Amino acid sequence: MHLDHADTDIYPQRHTYSSAADPRRPDGTRRALRIGLGGPVGSGKTATVAALCRALRDELSIAVVTNDIYTREDAEFLLRNAVLPATRITAVETGACPHTAIRDDISANLEAIEDLEDAVGPQGGLDIVFVESGGDNLTATFSKGLVDAQIFVIDVAGGDDIPRKGGPGVTTADLLVVNKTDLAPYVGSDLDRMARDARAQRGDLPVAFTSLVAENGVKPVVDWVRDRLAAWSAAHA
Amino acid sequence: MPTMPEPTVPAARAALLVLADGRFPAGGHAHSGGAEAAVKAGRIRDAGSLEEFCRGRLHTAGLTAAGLAAAAAAGLDPLVLDEAADARTPAPALRATARRLGRQMMRTARATWPGPELDALAAARPRGAHQPVVLGLAVRAAGASPTDAAHIAAYESVSGPATAAVRLLSLNPFDATAVLARLVPELDQVAARAAEAARRALDEGPDALPAASAPLLDITAETHAAWPVRLFAS
Ligand SMILES: Nc1nc2c(ncn2[C@@H]2O[C@H](COP(=O)(O)OP(=O)(O)OP(=O)(O)O)[C@@H](O)[C@H]2O)c(=O)[nH]1
Ligand SMILES: [Mg+2]
């Protein structure tokens, strides 16, 4: 850390690394809040991102980075559904290893975010960038060098014992979303048990139960994102 | 008892290990070095065909990259080398890949061995210089030698495809690593040739650097870049 500090005088451009540690962009303006969304394949990450964008895009300036495993489906879904204009959506390729791109080697994702900030800068800048991970296993988490906060999305159809199994995603994510509650009766998932197990694993960290097929079903996640953004803006006013 | 003479260790030799480590976070994991296209075409099927593929890449694209990296480490003007790299990379898809990986390497290099030469190249090529040039400059910033730079570039030219083949073919990882081990003598030869060319390039300019190319890698890189569904970015 002290090295960084000392070097700042000699190499002022070091601020351009755009690591999550630095709240400023090279031009001195505040960078966007970065929120990662991870979780198993098909749990509803893209559906959550789409719903968040629809709920927030009229009041906030938003961009999305997707990390598809071998297609551009997530990015194309968001484009097809006109959730955001194409200039605000970027797909990163991950070489068969989605968790590497969000945790061990975050360079491609940082670049995608930087480019989005540059592209949208002339239109007043970005408030939030959502980074969707490719569907992965229960141990996949985002590097603190890439995002400010992370959401882990699981669903009731993946089995109601997932909160009990724990793992870094379930245990440490800033928000755990248990999605597709509408399907619980059909797959025999016990939501109370999931809530109890999640509390046991996560202590005070929040859990949101959602059904995205319901009207405004994403609301608990929207509220959480608003709180994070307010805290971020206050901390870096 | 006679004392052993102190072994002479080249300057910053261990930097070579840091830079050549597959976990060095500079974007390489998302690229197969042409292996994905070769697997699809049936040219890489097993350890034997992987070895042939790697040998071909080492003596062509690998040698060229090693020369550029060694020259950058030796102190040739990186902008001149960046042009020399363009001239040696006819396929637009491979130019784009080299610059993207160069930009990623630049970010990591500036975080690991910060210095004014890296900063200057980053400012002159904000979208990325060719990866071997940035790699060579990183080696220079780390205080290691042009020969070390050549070794890393040569090794990367075969380690990427070998790792990708393990993922794409579920190839036995021991067999894939044995392929790399069998290539060690040739890796050393290629690195030595590249370093020697870089020494000459200090006097004669970048034309002294190797310009070997692999037309099939160029062609398949272009078609691979247009695939709608793929595991690797290149
Ligand atoms: N019934 C129901 N279906 C949902 C809900 N949320 C998402 N889905 C559906 O679940 C499927 C997968 O959703 P996605 O949003 O693509 O999941 P994902 O996590 O992004 O998937 P990957 O990116 O492939 O890992 C889609 O068919 C969605 O329409 C929900 O709350 N209820
Ligand atoms: Mg998705």
Side-chain angles (χ1 to χ4, degrees), chain A residues 25-153:
Chain A
R25 303 185 57 228
D27 65 5
T29 56
R30 184 176 66 223
R31 65 163 174 76
L33 175 70
R34 302 175 191 165
I35 296 181
L37 292 100
V41 177
S43 62
K45 297 178 291 298
T46 304
T48 302
V49 168
L52 283 169
C53 290
R54 285 193 195 99
L56 294 166
R57 67 187 170 196
D58 290 337
E59 53 187 289
L60 297 173
S61 175
I62 304 174
V64 175
V65 178
T66 63
N67 282 251
D68 281 323
I69 301 186
Y70 51 84
T71 64
R72 293 176 38 87
E73 293 211 5
D74 286 342
E76 273 157 19
F77 176 90
L78 296 172
L79 283 172
R80 215 170 35 245
N81 289 272
V83 171
L84 291 175
T87 49
R88 288 171 179 258
I89 302 171
T90 299
V92 166
E93 288 176 293
T94 59
C97 250
H99 50 271
T100 304
I102 61 162
R103 186 183 58 206
D104 309 296
D105 183 352
I106 57 178
S107 49
N109 270 296
L110 283 177
E111 241 162 61
I113 294 172
E114 253 172 33
D115 288 350
L116 284 166
E117 295 242 32
D118 288 346
V120 181
Q123 302 153 43
L126 283 171
D127 298 307
I128 298 187
V129 179
F130 293 115
V131 183
E132 181 188 341
S133 165
D136 207 327
N137 60 54
L138 295 176
T139 66
T141 51
F142 285 82
S143 164
K144 290 192 170 70
L146 178 60
V147 299
D148 302 297
Q150 49 192 309
I151 302 175
F152 201 72
V153 183

Side-chain angles (χ1 to χ4, degrees), chain A residues 7 11 13-14 16-18 69-72 93-97 100-101 104-108 110-111 114-115, chain B residues 23-30 100 103-104 107-108 110-111 114-116 119 127 167 228-233:
Chain A
D7 284 349
Y11 312 122
Q13 303 91 323
R14 293 202 66 197
T16 58
Y17 298 144
S18 82
I69 301 186
Y70 51 84
T71 64
R72 293 176 38 87
E93 288 176 293
T94 59
C97 250
T100 304
D104 309 296
D105 183 352
I106 57 178
S107 49
L110 283 177
E111 241 162 61
E114 253 172 33
D115 288 350
Chain B
R23 286 164 298 184
F24 191 75
H29 70 95
R100 193 186 312 162
R103 186 174 168 195
Q104 290 175 262
R107 181 189 306 277
T108 319
R110 291 172 85 198
D119 286 349
R127 310 286 308 168
R167 293 192 198 153
V229 173
R230 56 176 187 245
L231 275 178
F232 290 89

